[in-house]
Amino acid sequence: MSVTLNRVRRAFYMDSVALMQLSQAIGRLPGVTSAALMIGSDNNKALLGDAGLLAEEGAAATANDLIIAVTSTDEVLGKDALSRAESLLERPVSNDNGATPHAGSLGSALARLEDANIALISVPGEFAAAEARKALRRGLHVMLFSDNVSVAQERALKEDARTRGLLLMGPDCGTALIGGVPLAFSNVVPGGNIGIISASGTGLQEVSSLIARHGGGISHGIGVGGRDLNEEVGGITTLMALQALEEDPATEHIIVISKPPGSAVAAMVLDRIGASTKEFTVCLVGLDRIDVPKNAKAVPTLKAAADAALGGHAIGTDFDAASLAQKICMERRSAAGPWIRGLYSGGTLCAEAQIVMRSAGLDVASNAPVPGARTLAGSHADMHTAIDLGADEYTVARPHPMIDPSVRHDELMAAAGHPGTAVILLDLVIGYGAHEDPAGELASTLDGLELPLPPIVASVCGTRGDPQGYESQVAKLRAAGIHVAPSNAQAAELAVEIARHASL
Amino acid sequence: MPPTLSGQLLRDGPKVVNIGLSGFARDLRRQRVPVVQVDWKPPLITDSRTAEILETLSPNQETEKGAMVRSIEAANAEALDRICAGDPVLVDVQPAAAVLAGFPDRTVLHAGPPITWDRMCGPMRSAVAGAIVFEGWANTLRDAEGLAESGKIEFQPNHHFDAVGPMTGMTTPQMQVLVVENREFGNRAYCTVNEGLGNVMRFGGNDAEVVARLEWIAAEVGPALGAAIRHRGGIPLKGLIARGLSMGDEMHMRNAACTSLFIRELAPALAETAGSGELLASLLEFMGGNDMFFLNIAMAMAKATIMPAHGIENCTIVTTMARNGTDFGIRVSGTGDQWFTAPAAMAQGLYFAGFSEDDGNPDIGDSCIVETVGLGGFAMAASPAVVGFVGAGSAADAIGYTRSMAEITVGQNPEWTLPSLDYTGVPTAIDVLKVLEMGIEPVINTAIAHREPGRGQVGAGVVRAPFSCFEQALARFAESVGAI
């Protein structure tokens, strides 16, 4: 028997990451089956309702209130959990060092930093467009980290921004590198001659990190938002970013990363590229048969994009997936199943893995399928799978797996214990914004598993300059028996080879 | 071709306003990138027109409303200047009938926005009955209530006569009022003399003890104080309050320092004019035994100080906040004498032993006039002791209250400074536009009255001026300036 209990704190606001951390702590209390602390907006109430976490009290809450919701096997334990949550709210964990007094509004922030030129906005989606509009009116460029902004709002914001000559990066833009400064979820990379325009946050992270780790440097990385090249948005930000990089004397080579765009928009962007004096690499993930202008090269994967910008094959040239797979399979102690289980925190990394599997002739299913892949309904299927654990259905009332890799635990344990598994394929994303030690977290999870494990293959997206340190993360993975490839594409190739051996 | 703005962003590098997740600001600070964190909260707006009007009136050079926006900014700056330029001086104590211009007969002035007898809360009704008996318009409380109900007594807000009164705020013709003159502008404001603690009319007390004390104030205290103040040529209040702020008063819930400073200022003149040593002793005991004696002086001072900021065209500054125990009301400089009201809230705070929120009356009194000039809740940083009393917590919380009020005000008062904030001035001139845009309601420090008549104070706390009052005021303002 299970009970759902809600408690409402009137007129209480806390940012969602802090709330998610509290939700997790409460979810681990005895007798609690699930827990969520959320601001009582209509969106959130619908989410709680779908999750079976909404009771009468919570349903009556407003967007100014905080809902504490638990489901519990036991009413007394459930109530204890609510009380515990309330006491934790009284002493919130500060996300900040507290040294600098904060502003209460955009207006007072501008009074303190008069020459501010960009607003980084990460408020809940339903309020994000209004905040972005205010920032544009104050003459600020905007990086809109928030998601849940409608396409219509995105179009309107971008038109407004274009009229003002301002760059609107996003929505759902997690990554940018402006003048060498990583914003939000980004990696520390050296300066250089390669500019990147990306509709994908992890795409930008992977390509910029690969370039950085292989001797290249980045001038700027501009995130445009995942839908910028859709017909509805029309590539407004991409075209403005192209112009900005065109003007930038440091930028010699420009990489454009996106999902396959609408055809009219693609034509417009390719025209613009053709009119440029600079060299281009166009990575429309999954699409390699595309006519590009003479000054451009089309590539299907992120690794290929980095390679091309570095002037040819540069990344992991001594990495031999086939012989490594043979060695791994000989050392394997457990019985081998046939399937690759890809468990991803980065959406575009997940897409890239599918492309590698598809081009090796494998049938793959995903909750975020690339063209040619199948749609995965549950988390298992009798075929190869690549799951994007950062997709909406996995992040309702839970942190993103890049922030808290422990949300991957359940899937990892299920895959490890399943007889059908040939190999587990993972990504680790480090850098600013990401978890402080994802490799350590993963190693300690695996340490707790007593089963003989199937081979695990991973890549680390990040650089030696990142706070977590690329080398130290790789070393921790290797110490835990994980095979680390020099790029995500090569990790996927290795997984493919292992699966081939397993099915021999 | 000139460089684009986005090209310029790449050249200059980011200087960031971070709105939302504070971890991003922390990461940028570590990299020594200039960044300001905005602590974002969801807007409180309930009226869909509010957002539209705010957008129309938001600072933006490009719209055709740009000229209007600039004239609002200029009007608000003028209001702040007038508030800061005020020179309030306590000049006299007189019967209300003698000094309140056009005070009609058989009229009871009360706290807050206008209200009829049938909607008055318990403490207000019983105070009215006591005031009628004090005036001699009825002999018993029962008759007094009958008279009030009959419609033969007129009720009007103190504010309609440039007066203010704490809690129930009774002002009737024979009551003694403090007269504060704003010498810079020549206007005067009034407030009754504080009656002391316990069973008093401001908390709804109306029995023989209460009426007898009012009679004594009318016969002895008022005339004696008035004589001493006149003898001394008035007592300037601005500097006295500045010193009080540095001694831990915020002039709403704590007036201990200013009461002492005031007695020190007045004592020599009082000794000369009182005549008898017995009267002098009783006056000093009366004032000295009540830490809140200065509150009423501070209220008349605040009213005299804010009055010149009222009635400025295109001005969105709040010039009145007041409660009658049923409704909370505000008036705004640019919208004239219209009140914008919402139900009075319950204060959040601490209750005296034996009392709880069930005993409390909704928010009541004109005393929040002090918040309109940057004192009370706005000056909480001056008064960490009050923060504890009102249940808000630490000294850091006190500073937090003051800082957040800086978000909704036009500027600072350079003469009233706060030691704990490196002598920045108290946040002054509440702007309706900022309240709505920030979603921050003005904070008010307040006493809590028992909901039953005559039981006195049962606690103290903080209360917020209701957002809805500001939304209504904005809608009216926008109509009047043609913004909608």
Side-chain angles (χ1 to χ4, degrees):
Chain A
M1 208 213 86
S2 162
V3 288
T4 298
L5 300 170
N6 285 184
R7 200 168 286 174
V8 174
R9 285 283 302 261
R10 300 282 164 209
F12 189 95
Y13 178 78
M14 189 184 267
D15 82 46
S16 56
V17 171
L19 286 176
M20 285 169 179
Q21 287 166 341
L22 288 177
S23 304
Q24 265 215 317
I26 301 305
R28 286 198 280 261
L29 293 175
V32 176
T33 42
S34 61
L37 282 79
M38 293 184 121
I39 298 300
S41 64
D42 290 341
N43 272 348
N44 286 348
K45 284 194 281 191
L47 292 174
L48 287 172
D50 293 346
L53 274 162
L54 192 65
E56 211 173 298
E57 299 92 314
T62 73
N64 298 318
D65 305 329
L66 174 74
I67 303 172
I68 307 168
V70 301
T71 57
S72 171
T73 50
D74 177 289
E75 177 141 10
V76 174
L77 289 174
K79 284 186 173 158
D80 285 352
L82 291 178
S83 304
R84 176 77 186 135
E86 286 209 287
S87 69
L88 286 174
L89 286 174
E90 293 307 325
R91 42 182 190 82
V93 188
S94 173
N95 231 342
D96 209 334
N97 62 16
T100 315
H102 296 179
S105 69
L106 180 57
S108 63
L110 287 173
R112 285 177 211 189
L113 187 62
E114 285 177 359
D115 57 350
N117 53 15
I118 186 166
L120 170 48
I121 298 173
S122 54
V123 304
E126 56 200 299
F127 305 106
E131 296 299 324
R133 201 155 44 235
K134 279 190 223 165
L136 291 172
R137 285 181 156 228
R138 302 288 188 125
L140 297 177
H141 302 279
V142 171
M143 174 167 173
L144 193 52
F145 178 87
S146 311
D147 55 6
N148 288 317
V149 175
S150 72
V151 179
Q153 282 176 319
E154 176 175 352
R155 169 94 198 187
L157 284 172
K158 286 184 170 175
E159 283 177 347
D160 187 15
R162 180 172 58 189
T163 310
R164 299 167 192 277
L166 298 168
L167 211 49
L168 192 130
M169 300 191 278
D172 203 6
C173 174
T175 306
L177 287 157
I178 303 294
V181 175
L183 293 166
F185 285 74
S186 301
N187 305 90
V188 178
V189 299
N193 62 347
I194 301 170
I196 305 175
I197 298 168
S198 180
S200 146
T202 42
L204 177 47
Q205 287 194 271
E206 173 77 351
V207 173
S208 61
S209 294
L210 286 175
I211 290 170
R213 292 209 306 271
H214 295 88
I218 305 298
S219 59
H220 306 282
I222 300 172
V224 297
R227 297 180 302 217
D228 192 62
L229 294 179
N230 289 8
E231 300 289 357
E232 298 95 316
V233 183
I236 292 176
T237 304
T238 299
L239 292 169
M240 290 179 72
L242 278 170
Q243 179 60 34
L245 289 178
E246 180 80 39
E247 287 170 24
D248 176 42
T251 303
E252 292 167 6
H253 190 112
I254 299 171
I255 304 176
V256 178
I257 304 168
S258 174
K259 284 181 293 203
S263 58
V265 182
M268 193 159 55
V269 171
L270 291 172
D271 272 0
R272 178 68 190 79
I273 288 174
S276 169
T277 56
K278 302 194 175 182
E279 276 179 26
F280 280 78
T281 298
V282 180
C283 176
L284 304 178
V285 181
L287 215 62
D288 50 0
R289 292 177 197 288
I290 146 178
D291 286 330
V292 292
K294 278 201 217 67
N295 59 335
K297 180 178 182 204
V299 295
T301 63
L302 302 170
K303 173 185 176 279
D307 269 334
L310 288 165
H313 292 286
I315 296 158
T317 44
D318 54 351
F319 181 83
D320 180 351
S323 62
L324 196 52
Q326 198 166 14
K327 183 162 163 271
I328 290 167
C329 291
M330 282 167 64
E331 287 167 359
R332 170 161 42 195
R333 284 169 295 151
S334 61
W339 309 124
I340 301 171
R341 297 294 178 224
L343 301 173
Y344 274 89
S345 61
T348 306
L349 297 174
C350 180
E352 186 181 39
Q354 294 173 55
I355 288 152
V356 169
M357 292 185 223
R358 291 285 305 140
S359 59
L362 303 186
D363 216 5
V364 57
S366 174
N367 61 330
V370 299
R374 295 170 193 265
T375 301
L376 177 67
S379 56
H380 277 268
D382 281 341
M383 67 172 71
H384 305 296
T385 54
I387 301 176
D388 175 8
L389 292 165
D392 292 346
E393 62 267 33
Y394 287 97
T395 54
V396 171
R398 293 204 301 188
H400 193 281
M402 280 185 212
I403 300 175
D404 184 354
S406 72
V407 304
R408 188 151 56 183
H409 285 179
D410 292 351
E411 303 293 336
L412 193 59
M413 299 216 269
H418 196 277
T421 304
V423 56
I424 295 172
L425 174 60
L426 303 171
D427 63 340
L428 260 79
V429 180
I430 60 172
Y432 283 113
H435 187 269
E436 60 187 12
D437 183 14
E441 173 86 22
L442 182 60
S444 75
T445 304
L446 296 177
D447 215 23
L449 295 177
E450 299 192 347
L451 338 148
L453 292 171
I456 300 176
V457 173
S459 68
V460 176
C461 172
T463 68
R464 67 167 62 220
D466 286 335
Q468 302 89 342
Y470 178 81
E471 277 80 6
S472 101
Q473 291 289 299
V474 169
K476 281 183 189 177
L477 292 178
R478 292 204 164 121
I482 296 170
H483 307 284
V484 183
S487 66
N488 176 59
Q490 284 156 312
E493 283 167 20
L494 178 55
V496 167
E497 293 298 330
I498 292 172
R500 280 200 175 126
H501 274 277
S503 55
L504 285 177
Chain B
M1 199 171 131
T4 58
L5 285 175
S6 18
Q8 196 165 340
L9 170 69
L10 302 186
R11 200 162 48 244
D12 295 347
K15 299 184 179 79
V16 185
V17 176
N18 187 52
I19 306 170
L21 301 173
S22 58
F24 293 157
R26 179 202 54 205
D27 290 344
L28 288 166
R29 218 170 281 135
R30 278 187 192 160
Q31 303 171 73
R32 307 200 176 280
V33 173
V35 58
V36 181
Q37 169 70 19
V38 175
D39 284 333
W40 183 86
K41 286 192 191 106
L44 295 173
I45 290 168
T46 58
D47 181 343
S48 59
R49 284 178 309 171
T50 306
E52 260 172 67
I53 301 168
L54 283 177
E55 188 142 341
T56 306
L57 296 180
S58 70
N60 177 7
Q61 307 302 317
E62 293 160 42
T63 71
E64 74 267 33
K65 306 285 185 197
M68 182 189 299
V69 172
R70 283 189 293 278
S71 69
I72 292 170
E73 282 172 358
N76 291 351
E78 169 70 18
L80 175 65
D81 283 349
R82 291 189 192 179
I83 295 168
C84 294
D87 179 16
V89 180
L90 177 63
V91 293
D92 208 346
V93 179
Q94 289 286 343
V99 287
L100 264 60
F103 198 161
D105 196 25
R106 297 233 161 182
T107 297
V108 173
L109 306 187
H110 59 78
I115 189 166
T116 49
W117 171 259
D118 56 300
R119 294 187 66 244
M120 284 180 190
C121 66
M124 181 76 90
R125 282 187 175 208
S126 59
V128 166
I132 289 172
V133 170
F134 165 74
E135 287 294 334
W137 299 331
N139 289 323
T140 65
L141 292 170
R142 203 189 163 85
D143 290 350
E145 284 182 22
L147 194 62
E149 198 162 359
S150 73
K152 289 178 184 151
I153 298 291
E154 197 184 336
F155 297 107
Q156 289 219 48
N158 285 310
H159 276 287
H160 291 185
F161 293 85
D162 299 339
V164 282
M167 304 307 282
T168 61
M170 293 295 107
T171 310
T172 56
Q174 294 185 61
M175 287 186 191
Q176 295 284 321
V177 292
L178 304 151
V179 182
V180 172
E181 181 173 298
N182 185 341
R183 287 194 169 153
E184 178 69 18
F185 296 92
N187 60 294
R188 289 184 164 201
Y190 313 93
C191 184
T192 47
V193 176
N194 194 291
E195 307 159 78
L197 306 171
N199 180 22
V200 289
M201 188 169 279
R202 70 174 183 280
F203 288 109
N206 63 8
D207 61 14
E209 181 194 4
V210 171
V211 173
R213 189 186 305 107
L214 287 175
E215 284 168 350
W216 175 64
I217 291 173
E220 308 256 3
V221 178
L225 290 180
I229 291 163
R230 289 191 300 275
H231 180 76
R232 195 173 167 308
I235 298 178
L237 296 172
K238 204 175 188 176
L240 194 143
I241 285 169
R243 294 174 70 194
L245 281 170
S246 70
M247 294 166 75
D249 281 359
E250 41 67 90
M251 258 57 68
H252 197 160
M253 277 311 298
R254 200 183 120 106
N255 279 282
C258 277
T259 296
S260 303
L261 291 170
F262 175 74
I263 293 171
R264 208 172 73 174
E265 288 283 323
L266 189 66
L270 201 57
E272 280 195 50
T273 57
S276 90
E278 203 182 335
L279 176 61
L280 177 62
S282 66
L283 287 172
L284 290 175
E285 189 186 353
F286 177 63
M287 293 188 288
N290 172 14
D291 276 350
M292 296 300 274
F293 184 82
F294 190 78
L295 171 66
N296 297 39
I297 301 173
M299 288 171 60
M301 176 286 304
K303 179 68 180 168
T305 302
I306 195 89
M307 280 167 63
H310 189 68
I312 300 174
E313 202 182 340
N314 294 328
C315 179
T316 56
I317 297 310
V318 175
T319 49
T320 308
M321 294 198 290
R323 322 82 106 190
N324 58 32
T326 305
D327 302 319
F328 192 110
I330 68 167
R331 295 190 300 180
V332 174
S333 179
T335 55
D337 291 335
Q338 186 175 348
W339 290 87
F340 306 99
T341 64
M346 293 297 300
Q348 303 291 311
L350 293 182
Y351 285 81
F352 300 157
F355 296 101
S356 73
E357 189 155 330
D358 295 339
D359 302 305
N361 195 74
D363 197 22
I364 184 167
D366 288 330
S367 52
C368 50
I369 193 70
V370 303
E371 271 82 2
T372 66
V373 296
L375 301 174
F378 286 55
M380 202 102 84
S383 199
V386 167
V387 188
F389 188 48
V390 300
S394 65
D397 289 341
I399 289 172
Y401 274 106
T402 294
R403 279 200 205 283
S404 73
M405 292 303 101
E407 301 287 350
I408 58 168
T409 43
V410 176
Q412 303 173 4
N413 186 325
E415 291 176 71
W416 289 347
T417 59
L418 300 163
S420 61
L421 284 176
D422 293 334
Y423 294 93
T424 54
V426 296
T428 306
I430 305 165
D431 182 355
V432 170
L433 295 173
K434 290 187 171 181
V435 169
L436 294 170
E437 198 185 316
M438 303 300 129
I440 300 174
E441 296 165 319
V443 63
I444 294 163
N445 289 350
T446 190
I448 303 170
H450 200 291
R451 64 167 68 242
E452 288 165 20
R455 298 285 299 273
Q457 184 178 357
V458 294
V462 294
V463 70
R464 297 278 184 166
F467 203 68
S468 153
C469 297
F470 298 85
E471 292 192 284
Q472 296 167 47
L474 177 72
R476 176 75 197 96
F477 177 82
E479 266 169 44
S480 73
V481 299
I484 51 172

